[in-house]
mmCIF file with all atom_site columns, all heavy atoms in Angstrom:
data_model
loop_
_atom_site.group_PDB
_atom_site.id
_atom_site.type_symbol
_atom_site.label_atom_id
_atom_site.label_alt_id
_atom_site.label_comp_id
_atom_site.label_asym_id
_atom_site.label_entity_id
_atom_site.label_seq_id
_atom_site.pdbx_PDB_ins_code
_atom_site.Cartn_x
_atom_site.Cartn_y
_atom_site.Cartn_z
_atom_site.occupancy
_atom_site.B_iso_or_equiv
_atom_site.pdbx_formal_charge
_atom_site.auth_seq_id
_atom_site.auth_comp_id
_atom_site.auth_asym_id
_atom_site.auth_atom_id
_atom_site.pdbx_PDB_model_num
ATOM 1  N N   . GLU A 1 52  ? -9.607  1.503   -14.494 1.00 0.00 ? 602 GLU A N   1
ATOM 2  C CA  . GLU A 1 52  ? -10.494 2.243   -15.437 1.00 0.00 ? 602 GLU A CA  1
ATOM 3  C C   . GLU A 1 52  ? -11.787 2.503   -14.827 1.00 0.00 ? 602 GLU A C   1
ATOM 4  O O   . GLU A 1 52  ? -12.425 3.537   -14.992 1.00 0.00 ? 602 GLU A O   1
ATOM 5  C CB  . GLU A 1 52  ? -10.459 1.561   -16.749 1.00 0.00 ? 602 GLU A CB  1
ATOM 6  C CG  . GLU A 1 52  ? -9.065  1.733   -17.418 1.00 0.00 ? 602 GLU A CG  1
ATOM 7  C CD  . GLU A 1 52  ? -8.951  1.126   -18.775 1.00 0.00 ? 602 GLU A CD  1
ATOM 8  O OE1 . GLU A 1 52  ? -9.696  0.240   -19.205 1.00 0.00 ? 602 GLU A OE1 1
ATOM 9  O OE2 . GLU A 1 52  ? -7.989  1.578   -19.527 1.00 0.00 ? 602 GLU A OE2 1
ATOM 10 N N   . SER A 1 55  ? -10.646 4.988   -11.039 1.00 0.00 ? 605 SER A N   1
ATOM 11 C CA  . SER A 1 55  ? -9.724  6.053   -10.900 1.00 0.00 ? 605 SER A CA  1
ATOM 12 C C   . SER A 1 55  ? -10.293 7.465   -10.811 1.00 0.00 ? 605 SER A C   1
ATOM 13 O O   . SER A 1 55  ? -9.730  8.358   -10.241 1.00 0.00 ? 605 SER A O   1
ATOM 14 C CB  . SER A 1 55  ? -8.650  5.910   -11.971 1.00 0.00 ? 605 SER A CB  1
ATOM 15 O OG  . SER A 1 55  ? -9.241  6.089   -13.232 1.00 0.00 ? 605 SER A OG  1
ATOM 16 N N   . ILE A 1 61  ? -4.426  6.073   -6.137  1.00 0.00 ? 611 ILE A N   1
ATOM 17 C CA  . ILE A 1 61  ? -4.675  4.654   -6.425  1.00 0.00 ? 611 ILE A CA  1
ATOM 18 C C   . ILE A 1 61  ? -3.473  3.795   -5.990  1.00 0.00 ? 611 ILE A C   1
ATOM 19 O O   . ILE A 1 61  ? -2.398  4.155   -6.238  1.00 0.00 ? 611 ILE A O   1
ATOM 20 C CB  . ILE A 1 61  ? -4.896  4.341   -7.962  1.00 0.00 ? 611 ILE A CB  1
ATOM 21 C CG1 . ILE A 1 61  ? -6.149  5.007   -8.498  1.00 0.00 ? 611 ILE A CG1 1
ATOM 22 C CG2 . ILE A 1 61  ? -4.856  2.837   -8.241  1.00 0.00 ? 611 ILE A CG2 1
ATOM 23 C CD1 . ILE A 1 61  ? -7.451  4.225   -8.178  1.00 0.00 ? 611 ILE A CD1 1
ATOM 24 N N   . VAL A 1 82  ? 6.242   -5.431  -12.875 1.00 0.00 ? 632 VAL A N   1
ATOM 25 C CA  . VAL A 1 82  ? 6.143   -4.062  -12.343 1.00 0.00 ? 632 VAL A CA  1
ATOM 26 C C   . VAL A 1 82  ? 6.231   -3.091  -13.509 1.00 0.00 ? 632 VAL A C   1
ATOM 27 O O   . VAL A 1 82  ? 5.375   -2.126  -13.692 1.00 0.00 ? 632 VAL A O   1
ATOM 28 C CB  . VAL A 1 82  ? 7.165   -3.772  -11.200 1.00 0.00 ? 632 VAL A CB  1
ATOM 29 C CG1 . VAL A 1 82  ? 7.219   -2.349  -10.958 1.00 0.00 ? 632 VAL A CG1 1
ATOM 30 C CG2 . VAL A 1 82  ? 6.822   -4.579  -10.045 1.00 0.00 ? 632 VAL A CG2 1
ATOM 31 N N   . THR A 1 90  ? -0.187  3.906   -16.224 1.00 0.00 ? 640 THR A N   1
ATOM 32 C CA  . THR A 1 90  ? 0.126   5.352   -16.509 1.00 0.00 ? 640 THR A CA  1
ATOM 33 C C   . THR A 1 90  ? -0.242  5.716   -17.912 1.00 0.00 ? 640 THR A C   1
ATOM 34 O O   . THR A 1 90  ? -0.710  6.868   -18.085 1.00 0.00 ? 640 THR A O   1
ATOM 35 C CB  . THR A 1 90  ? 1.709   5.616   -16.376 1.00 0.00 ? 640 THR A CB  1
ATOM 36 O OG1 . THR A 1 90  ? 2.508   4.658   -17.138 1.00 0.00 ? 640 THR A OG1 1
ATOM 37 C CG2 . THR A 1 90  ? 2.181   5.515   -14.936 1.00 0.00 ? 640 THR A CG2 1
ATOM 38 N N   . SER A 1 96  ? -6.534  9.957   -19.842 1.00 0.00 ? 646 SER A N   1
ATOM 39 C CA  . SER A 1 96  ? -7.743  10.366  -19.235 1.00 0.00 ? 646 SER A CA  1
ATOM 40 C C   . SER A 1 96  ? -7.663  11.778  -18.576 1.00 0.00 ? 646 SER A C   1
ATOM 41 O O   . SER A 1 96  ? -6.568  12.256  -18.390 1.00 0.00 ? 646 SER A O   1
ATOM 42 C CB  . SER A 1 96  ? -8.003  9.337   -18.042 1.00 0.00 ? 646 SER A CB  1
ATOM 43 O OG  . SER A 1 96  ? -8.903  9.943   -17.093 1.00 0.00 ? 646 SER A OG  1
ATOM 44 N N   . LYS A 1 101 ? -2.936  10.199  -8.096  1.00 0.00 ? 651 LYS A N   1
ATOM 45 C CA  . LYS A 1 101 ? -1.550  9.768   -7.922  1.00 0.00 ? 651 LYS A CA  1
ATOM 46 C C   . LYS A 1 101 ? -1.570  8.323   -7.852  1.00 0.00 ? 651 LYS A C   1
ATOM 47 O O   . LYS A 1 101 ? -2.571  7.570   -7.535  1.00 0.00 ? 651 LYS A O   1
ATOM 48 C CB  . LYS A 1 101 ? -0.995  10.313  -6.549  1.00 0.00 ? 651 LYS A CB  1
ATOM 49 C CG  . LYS A 1 101 ? -0.894  11.809  -6.472  1.00 0.00 ? 651 LYS A CG  1
ATOM 50 C CD  . LYS A 1 101 ? 0.357   12.257  -6.071  1.00 0.00 ? 651 LYS A CD  1
ATOM 51 C CE  . LYS A 1 101 ? 0.595   13.760  -5.957  1.00 0.00 ? 651 LYS A CE  1
ATOM 52 N NZ  . LYS A 1 101 ? 0.537   14.431  -7.308  1.00 0.00 ? 651 LYS A NZ  1
ATOM 53 N N   . SER A 1 120 ? 14.083  0.527   -8.953  1.00 0.00 ? 670 SER A N   1
ATOM 54 C CA  . SER A 1 120 ? 14.641  1.032   -10.243 1.00 0.00 ? 670 SER A CA  1
ATOM 55 C C   . SER A 1 120 ? 13.512  1.232   -11.304 1.00 0.00 ? 670 SER A C   1
ATOM 56 O O   . SER A 1 120 ? 13.549  2.199   -11.989 1.00 0.00 ? 670 SER A O   1
ATOM 57 C CB  . SER A 1 120 ? 15.708  0.126   -10.651 1.00 0.00 ? 670 SER A CB  1
ATOM 58 O OG  . SER A 1 120 ? 15.766  -0.179  -11.952 1.00 0.00 ? 670 SER A OG  1
ATOM 59 N N   . SER A 1 143 ? 5.945   -18.104 13.620  1.00 0.00 ? 693 SER A N   1
ATOM 60 C CA  . SER A 1 143 ? 6.185   -19.131 14.684  1.00 0.00 ? 693 SER A CA  1
ATOM 61 C C   . SER A 1 143 ? 6.466   -18.479 16.046  1.00 0.00 ? 693 SER A C   1
ATOM 62 O O   . SER A 1 143 ? 5.996   -19.011 17.066  1.00 0.00 ? 693 SER A O   1
ATOM 63 C CB  . SER A 1 143 ? 7.209   -20.224 14.298  1.00 0.00 ? 693 SER A CB  1
ATOM 64 O OG  . SER A 1 143 ? 8.536   -19.665 14.422  1.00 0.00 ? 693 SER A OG  1
ATOM 65 N N   . SER A 1 163 ? 9.095   -3.582  8.823   1.00 0.00 ? 713 SER A N   1
ATOM 66 C CA  . SER A 1 163 ? 8.497   -2.619  7.840   1.00 0.00 ? 713 SER A CA  1
ATOM 67 C C   . SER A 1 163 ? 9.510   -1.361  7.863   1.00 0.00 ? 713 SER A C   1
ATOM 68 O O   . SER A 1 163 ? 9.691   -0.785  6.778   1.00 0.00 ? 713 SER A O   1
ATOM 69 C CB  . SER A 1 163 ? 7.055   -2.288  8.350   1.00 0.00 ? 713 SER A CB  1
ATOM 70 O OG  . SER A 1 163 ? 6.484   -1.442  7.456   1.00 0.00 ? 713 SER A OG  1
ATOM 71 N N   . LYS A 1 176 ? 14.365  11.047  -5.115  1.00 0.00 ? 726 LYS A N   1
ATOM 72 C CA  . LYS A 1 176 ? 13.839  12.086  -4.176  1.00 0.00 ? 726 LYS A CA  1
ATOM 73 C C   . LYS A 1 176 ? 12.503  12.683  -4.575  1.00 0.00 ? 726 LYS A C   1
ATOM 74 O O   . LYS A 1 176 ? 11.793  13.161  -3.654  1.00 0.00 ? 726 LYS A O   1
ATOM 75 C CB  . LYS A 1 176 ? 14.911  13.195  -3.880  1.00 0.00 ? 726 LYS A CB  1
ATOM 76 C CG  . LYS A 1 176 ? 16.267  12.626  -3.392  1.00 0.00 ? 726 LYS A CG  1
ATOM 77 C CD  . LYS A 1 176 ? 16.149  12.240  -1.876  1.00 0.00 ? 726 LYS A CD  1
ATOM 78 C CE  . LYS A 1 176 ? 17.333  11.435  -1.494  1.00 0.00 ? 726 LYS A CE  1
ATOM 79 N NZ  . LYS A 1 176 ? 17.386  9.975   -1.797  1.00 0.00 ? 726 LYS A NZ  1
ATOM 80 N N   . TYR A 1 193 ? 6.311   9.247   14.465  1.00 0.00 ? 743 TYR A N   1
ATOM 81 C CA  . TYR A 1 193 ? 7.548   9.962   14.162  1.00 0.00 ? 743 TYR A CA  1
ATOM 82 C C   . TYR A 1 193 ? 8.695   9.131   13.638  1.00 0.00 ? 743 TYR A C   1
ATOM 83 O O   . TYR A 1 193 ? 9.514   9.676   12.876  1.00 0.00 ? 743 TYR A O   1
ATOM 84 C CB  . TYR A 1 193 ? 7.972   10.839  15.416  1.00 0.00 ? 743 TYR A CB  1
ATOM 85 C CG  . TYR A 1 193 ? 7.138   12.072  15.467  1.00 0.00 ? 743 TYR A CG  1
ATOM 86 C CD1 . TYR A 1 193 ? 6.091   12.266  16.417  1.00 0.00 ? 743 TYR A CD1 1
ATOM 87 C CD2 . TYR A 1 193 ? 7.231   13.125  14.513  1.00 0.00 ? 743 TYR A CD2 1
ATOM 88 C CE1 . TYR A 1 193 ? 5.363   13.344  16.519  1.00 0.00 ? 743 TYR A CE1 1
ATOM 89 C CE2 . TYR A 1 193 ? 6.449   14.237  14.578  1.00 0.00 ? 743 TYR A CE2 1
ATOM 90 C CZ  . TYR A 1 193 ? 5.512   14.422  15.592  1.00 0.00 ? 743 TYR A CZ  1
ATOM 91 O OH  . TYR A 1 193 ? 4.729   15.462  15.577  1.00 0.00 ? 743 TYR A OH  1
ATOM 92 N N   . ASP A 1 224 ? 1.918   16.797  16.570  1.00 0.00 ? 774 ASP A N   1
ATOM 93 C CA  . ASP A 1 224 ? 2.547   17.348  15.308  1.00 0.00 ? 774 ASP A CA  1
ATOM 94 C C   . ASP A 1 224 ? 2.435   18.915  15.359  1.00 0.00 ? 774 ASP A C   1
ATOM 95 O O   . ASP A 1 224 ? 3.387   19.629  15.157  1.00 0.00 ? 774 ASP A O   1
ATOM 96 C CB  . ASP A 1 224 ? 1.705   16.860  14.072  1.00 0.00 ? 774 ASP A CB  1
ATOM 97 C CG  . ASP A 1 224 ? 2.552   16.759  12.852  1.00 0.00 ? 774 ASP A CG  1
ATOM 98 O OD1 . ASP A 1 224 ? 3.742   16.913  12.939  1.00 0.00 ? 774 ASP A OD1 1
ATOM 99 O OD2 . ASP A 1 224 ? 1.949   16.596  11.810  1.00 0.00 ? 774 ASP A OD2 1
#
Side-chain angles (χ1 to χ4, degrees):
E602 290 183 340
S605 58
I611 291 279
V632 169
T640 52
S646 160
K651 298 230 180 295
S670 138
S693 78
S713 188
K726 301 285 165 276
Y743 278 107
D774 210 12

